[in-house]
Amino acid sequence: MLERFIRYIETEKRYSTHTVSAYCCDLEQFGSYLINIYELDDMTKATDDMVRSYIVSLKNEGLENRSINRKISSLRAFYKFCLREKVLKVTPMQGVKSLRRPKELAKFVPEQDMEKVEFAEGDDFKERRDELIFEMLYQTGMRQAELRGLKDSDVGEDTLLIKVHGKRNKERLIPVSRELVDMIVSYKKIRDAQFPGNINVSLIVDDKGRPAGPTFVYNIVHRILEGVTTLRQKSPHVLRHTFATHLLNEGADIRAIQRLLGHASLGSTQIYTHNTIEQLKEIYQFAHPLGDE
């Protein structure tokens, strides 16, 4: 049944490779738990008490509520599929609730720190490529997987629009500046000169002309942010948070930000309003005569 479910989320739901891998890992872990604790080798015969026992065991292992909730979501999806396939009439997830987790503010790089980012001038391929990766993530708010998935043809040099293939292969258009498009055009010339005859159509390539991988992009962003901010998190996703927060702080409409980020619901975007509220609190405490009392 597990194999059928994995094929379903791969082919019909079209989940990303990363998501499919996470689901597979979560479900295999639960399956191992059932075998070790209950000597049960069929997940479709699990009961709600077994599921609750599993959640308690994860908590006892010291897992954070966020990680446990992801595993609960994987189980929900699997048993929902079992109901759909009429393998089960009742799901063991009935009545099982996600654990509460404290709300976390989205981590972002302050504008004054972003202004410290500098790149050497010239036609060095690596320098221009690294600069483009950083600027595209910050100026568009796209996910690093979306950046890596871009083809040359996705950049509208005349329309100043970039076509992004988001989660579940949903497409959206992101407007960009002429300056960023010129940067892309310049980079492509240097890239093609660096790798003549390369038939790869990926926009962003690594040092050998191959499509850039997630670790490769992460390391570039981390290295650049390391030099300008004390923020503990220095990942490509931080630039996505930074993009959204800076737009909101400058007065952008939250629904417009939702569309730019490709969020399915406004609730996912509203986390950035908390950053703005925290910023207002700091301004008040600093500037108002009674603010620090």
Side-chain angles (χ1 to χ4, degrees):
M1 197 64 200
L2 178 57
E3 291 180 359
R4 286 169 59 185
F5 172 70
I6 296 301
R7 280 198 305 271
Y8 166 71
I9 62 177
E10 279 180 326
T11 57
E12 292 191 40
K13 302 297 285 185
R14 303 183 74 176
Y15 286 173
S16 69
T17 303
H18 175 78
T19 302
V20 172
S21 177
Y23 270 82
C24 195
C25 181
D26 290 341
L27 294 170
E28 287 177 349
Q29 184 179 358
F30 179 60
S32 297
Y33 177 82
L34 293 178
I35 292 172
N36 294 332
I37 303 301
Y38 296 100
E39 298 183 352
L40 181 66
D41 61 0
D42 185 351
M43 287 197 295
T44 63
K45 295 181 180 178
T47 65
D48 56 345
D49 285 339
M50 293 177 182
V51 173
R52 289 190 176 90
S53 171
Y54 173 61
I55 294 171
V56 170
S57 73
L58 294 175
K59 193 68 179 174
N60 289 338
E61 289 175 11
L63 259 69
E64 295 182 356
N65 287 5
R66 178 176 182 174
S67 298
I68 296 175
N69 286 342
R70 193 201 71 188
K71 296 180 185 298
I72 292 174
S73 296
S74 297
L75 292 177
R76 280 204 187 102
F78 172 72
Y79 285 113
K80 184 177 179 181
F81 176 74
C82 291
L83 290 175
R84 170 188 146 154
E85 296 295 300
K86 296 183 170 44
V87 174
L88 292 176
K89 291 184 179 179
V90 179
T91 169
M93 300 305 294
Q94 192 169 351
V96 176
K97 296 182 180 180
S98 298
L99 305 182
R100 290 186 178 181
R101 43 181 285 225
K103 288 187 177 180
E104 297 180 2
L105 295 180
K107 303 295 189 297
F108 70 98
V109 183
E111 290 184 50
Q112 60 267 28
D113 287 343
M114 291 298 291
E115 292 172 358
K116 299 175 187 175
V117 177
E118 293 182 351
F119 295 91
E121 296 183 3
D123 293 334
D124 179 75
F125 165 70
K126 293 181 182 179
E127 189 76 16
R128 296 287 70 80
R129 190 264 325 280
D130 294 359
E131 178 183 21
L132 183 63
I133 287 175
F134 189 87
E135 289 298 332
M136 287 190 73
L137 290 170
Y138 173 52
Q139 293 191 38
T140 68
M142 67 176 70
R143 303 174 179 91
Q144 64 95 0
E146 294 170 343
L147 173 69
R148 293 187 296 105
L150 287 179
K151 311 297 183 187
D152 286 9
S153 57
D154 290 326
V155 179
E157 296 179 13
D158 296 323
T159 61
L160 301 185
L161 294 171
I162 293 181
K163 182 168 64 176
V164 171
H165 304 272
K167 288 186 175 180
R168 302 181 191 178
N169 219 24
K170 291 182 179 178
E171 292 185 357
R172 71 182 186 279
L173 294 174
I174 301 179
V176 293
S177 66
R178 168 55 63 187
E179 182 181 6
L180 183 59
V181 169
D182 289 344
M183 188 183 298
I184 295 172
V185 172
S186 176
Y187 155 78
K188 286 197 298 182
K189 289 179 181 178
I190 298 172
R191 179 201 62 189
D192 294 344
Q194 181 82 6
F195 305 105
N198 191 344
I199 59 174
N200 199 322
V201 292
S202 294
L203 177 64
I204 304 298
V205 298
D206 65 14
D207 296 345
K208 296 183 179 179
R210 302 168 303 193
T215 303
F216 183 80
V217 173
Y218 173 88
N219 288 339
I220 288 172
V221 173
H222 187 277
R223 173 177 55 79
I224 296 171
L225 288 179
E226 188 77 28
V228 299
T229 181
T230 57
L231 198 66
R232 186 172 63 85
Q233 225 175 331
K234 301 178 182 71
S235 66
H237 211 70
V238 166
L239 291 181
R240 180 170 163 85
H241 291 325
T242 302
F243 164 83
T245 303
H246 289 182
L247 279 178
L248 195 62
N249 287 343
E250 293 297 325
D253 180 75
I254 191 168
R255 291 194 179 276
I257 297 174
Q258 176 192 358
R259 292 180 62 186
L260 290 170
L261 292 175
H263 282 161
S265 68
L266 188 61
S268 299
T269 316
Q270 286 177 329
I271 184 174
Y272 300 108
T273 62
H274 298 299
N275 284 328
T276 304
I277 291 171
E278 289 302 312
Q279 184 185 55
L280 289 174
K281 285 181 180 178
E282 291 180 7
I283 292 173
Y284 170 80
Q285 291 171 355
F286 175 78
H288 195 279
L290 302 179
D292 57 355
E293 290 188 359

